[in-house]
Every structure is written in C-alpha cells, then in structure tokens.
C-alpha cells in the first residue's frame, strides 16, 4: 500500500480540502494510472454536498480522468507503462448479468462499482475518484485515448461525452432530424457538438441568453430562450428527439409538448426533486419520457474513437486544484464555459 495526495470533502457543508489515502499495488489484471487531468461534473457537486443522499465521507470525487499508465499487472493486455489511459464513471461491475454480458455495465443488476463514493465489492471500503494523483483499476474498465486529442479538453468526454453520446445513438439521432438540447452546460455543450456531428439540426433551449453565440459556434442551428413562451410555442409538435441535461427542477411539460408523435424526451440531468408530468402530454401523441445513464465501456471507447476522428473535445477552463471550491460555487451559479478541468500537476 502506498499513499496518494488528493482532495476530499468530509461533510455535506464542508469544502474540499487536501487529503491523503492509501492505494493498492495493481493486481495481475490491473493498471496504475498517474492522473494528469480530471473534469468537474455537476454530479461531483451533487455527491460532495450529499444532494442525492448516501454520500459516505470522506469523499474524493472525480470521474472524468485522463492520465498515463505507470504500472501494469502481468496479465494486462491493452496497456503498457507510458500509455495514455482514461477512466469514466465506473471501475467494475458483476460481469455475469445480462446487462454486463451485453456490454451495458452501467445497467448491471448488482449495480456497477462507480469510480467514487461506491462500495468496492472486490477490495472493500469505498472507491475514491480522480481528484488524486493515482488511480488503480482493472484494465477492463480503463479506456484507450488517442494522442491526437488535447488531453485536458478530452477529460470531460469520460462522463459528459458518453452520457450524451449514448442516448443520441440509442434514439438514432441522425441526418436531417430536429433535435433539442435543454441546458447548455457541461453535458449540454457536448450534446450539441455530438448531435451536430451526427448530422442533426440542433435547437438549444437555454435559460442564459448570453450563451447564444457559443451554442451557434458548437453547431446549433437555433437557440431558444426557454423563459420566452412565444418562442417555445413556435416549436410545438416539431421535434424528433429532445435531450434534457438540466441539473435543477424545471418544467418537463414545456418540452414534452414540443415532441412529434412517438418521439422521446430523454433525461440525463438528475435534479434531486421529482418533476411533475401531465399525462396528456404523453398520451395524446404517444410520446415517450425516458432516462439514460452514462454508457457501457465498449460504447465509451467507441465515443472516444469517434471524438478522435472528428476532433471533438470539450470547451474547458483549466484550474489548479486549490480553486476547486470556487469552481463548485461557480458551477452552481451556472458560471462555467463549459467544463472545469483540474490540472493535477497542481497537487504535487
Ligand atoms: P452543468 O454544467 O451545471 O449544466 C447544467 C445546465 O442546466 C446549466 O448550464 C444550465 O444551462 C441549465 N440549468 C441550470 N439550472 C437551471 C434551472 N434552474 N432551470 C433550467 N435550467 C437550468 O451540469 P452538468 O455537469 O452538465 O450536469 C447536468 C446534470 O446531469 C446534473 O444533474 C448531473 O448530475 C447529471 N448527470 C447525469 C449523468 C447520467 O448518466 N444521467 C451523467 C453525468 C451528469 P442554461 O444556462 O443553458 O440554461
Ligand atoms: Zn459525471
Ligand atoms: Zn452485471
């Protein structure tokens, strides 16, 4: 066992502070990664502040991890020391249930082992995330990353990228379709870039008129300020698909009525409170309301390879770890363009 420097929070109302924890030597199928960059997902804030309940302290958040392999176990096949490697929201799963066998480990019957704040079924204790110098995990849950991508800007692909790529693929978003993205934050701006790359005509719904020019730069054809009812009504019954990335309570009915018959509104944003739905908004046009959780490991690799081919990364603000609490406050105030990424050199 060795020690790594990290940042952890010790209570829902406490800031993140310097912390050290022990990590194991990699087993035969495991790799050790020196973390170079870690993105800050809104989930980190929900978890650090116990907004979803169930956070076990101390908690080291972080699940948008890019780094370099420093050690590889004897049976490791995909990586050797010196290679780039990336880690997203999961580090293990049961591997035997139907979902795991289908490559959808995020839907594992036993529940996947998430990268942080998750009981580690194999090694005991709780998992610790990417606001640290080092992570050790099974190579089966580590991703390969192309050298061609900007490494810091690629980190958010590991959660914001796959969380939007997966539902866009599942609902077969493609050329000529009219696709809505609700909320232009970390997830939302990736959804706009990806849906545009798939050939869709993207309309962004935002509460922030000041984000209009950025939305158009990311590829959106149109931007609607969602507080403007007249603008909203112009789009009634016209969308093939809408992806909702909003992290706070908001009115789903205003978006359901914009869907065509049989089309889906899929939630990836996860407000802590229940959201009321008018049944008739679903019944009348046989519309669907769905949810989606990150994506499987194979699909995450497919997404990273797609982004390397199409040169798609996140728009980021790189910060030293000492600014993480300020970054959390700004994220909650909707003041980030469009993802904070921690430069892990600052931990040394
Ligand atoms: P984020 O960067 O904070 O973006 C959320 C966006 O929602 C904001 O930029 C804002 O966009 C909009 N928004 C914020 N408050 C709002 C309000 N009161 N009413 C309407 N819109 C509001 O967060 P993120 O990192 O993209 O994460 C978004 C959500 O997805 C979080 O709840 C997170 O936990 C969840 N998440 C889910 C998964 C999954 O697998 N399903 C994975 C990762 C994250 P505008 O300024 O454009 O309005
Ligand atoms: Zn996330
Ligand atoms: Zn499983």
């Amino acid at each position: 066992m060795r020690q790594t420097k990290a940042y952890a929070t010790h209570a829902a109302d406490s800031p993140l502070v310097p912390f050290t924890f022990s990590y194991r030597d990699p087993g035969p199928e495991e790799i050790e990664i020196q973390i170079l960059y870690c993105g800050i997902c809104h989930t980190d804030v929900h978890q650090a502040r116990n907004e979803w309940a169930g956070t076990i302290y101390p908690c080291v958040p972080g699940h948008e991890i890019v780094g370099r392999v420093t050690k590889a176990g004897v049976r490791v096949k995909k990586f050797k020391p010196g290679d780039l490697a990336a880690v997203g929201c999961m580090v293990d799963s049961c591997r035997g249930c139907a979902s795991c066998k289908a490559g959808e480990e995020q839907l594992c019957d036993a529940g996947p082992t998430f990268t942080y704040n998750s009981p580690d079924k194999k090694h005991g204790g709780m998992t610790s995330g990417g606001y640290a110098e080092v992570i050790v995990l099974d190579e089966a849950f580590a991703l390969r990353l192309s050298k061609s991508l900007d490494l810091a800007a690629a980190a958010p692909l590991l959660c914001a990228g796959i969380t939007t790529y997966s539902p866009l693929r599942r609902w077969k978003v493609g050329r000529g379709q009219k696709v809505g993205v609700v909320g232009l934050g970390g997830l939302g701006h990736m959804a706009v870039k990806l849906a545009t790359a798939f050939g869709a005509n993207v309309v962004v719904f935002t509460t922030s008129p000041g984000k209009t020019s950025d939305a158009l730069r990311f590829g959106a054809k149109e931007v609607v300020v969602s507080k403007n009812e007249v603008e909203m009504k112009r789009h009634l019954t016209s969308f093939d698909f809408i992806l909702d990335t909003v992290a706070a309570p908001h009115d789903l009915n205003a978006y359901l009525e914009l869907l065509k018959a049989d089309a889906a509104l899929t939630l990836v944003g996860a407000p802590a409170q229940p959201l009321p739905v008018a049944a008739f908004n679903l019944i009348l046009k046989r519309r669907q309301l769905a949810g989606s959780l990150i994506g499987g490991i194979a699909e995450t690799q497919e997404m990273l390879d797609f982004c390397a081919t199409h040169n798609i990364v996140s728009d980021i603000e790189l910060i030293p770890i000492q600014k993480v609490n300020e970054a959390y406050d700004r994220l909650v105030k909707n003041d980030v363009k469009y993802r904070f990424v921690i430069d892990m050199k600052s931990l040394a």
Side-chain angles (χ1 to χ4, degrees), residues 24-47:
R24 60 184 182 275
D25 266 332
E29 279 142 11
E30 290 186 321
I31 57 172
E32 176 189 288
I33 299 172
Q34 182 204 352
I35 300 173
L36 300 173
Y37 299 105
C38 185
I40 299 180
C41 179
H42 208 116
T43 296
D44 299 353
V45 180
H46 291 308
Q47 297 256 31

Side-chain angles (χ1 to χ4, degrees), residues 41-44 63-64 89 159-160 163 187 339:
C41 179
H42 208 116
T43 296
D44 299 353
H63 60 203
E64 293 184 335
C89 301
C159 176
T163 300
L187 267 55
R339 198 59 141 185

Side-chain angles (χ1 to χ4, degrees), residues 42-43 46 184 186-187 206-208 211 268 270 292 294 334 339:
H42 208 116
T43 296
H46 291 308
L184 196 69
L187 267 55
T206 182
T207 58
S208 312
K211 292 181 181 175
V268 287
S292 185
I294 45 174
N334 203 357
R339 198 59 141 185

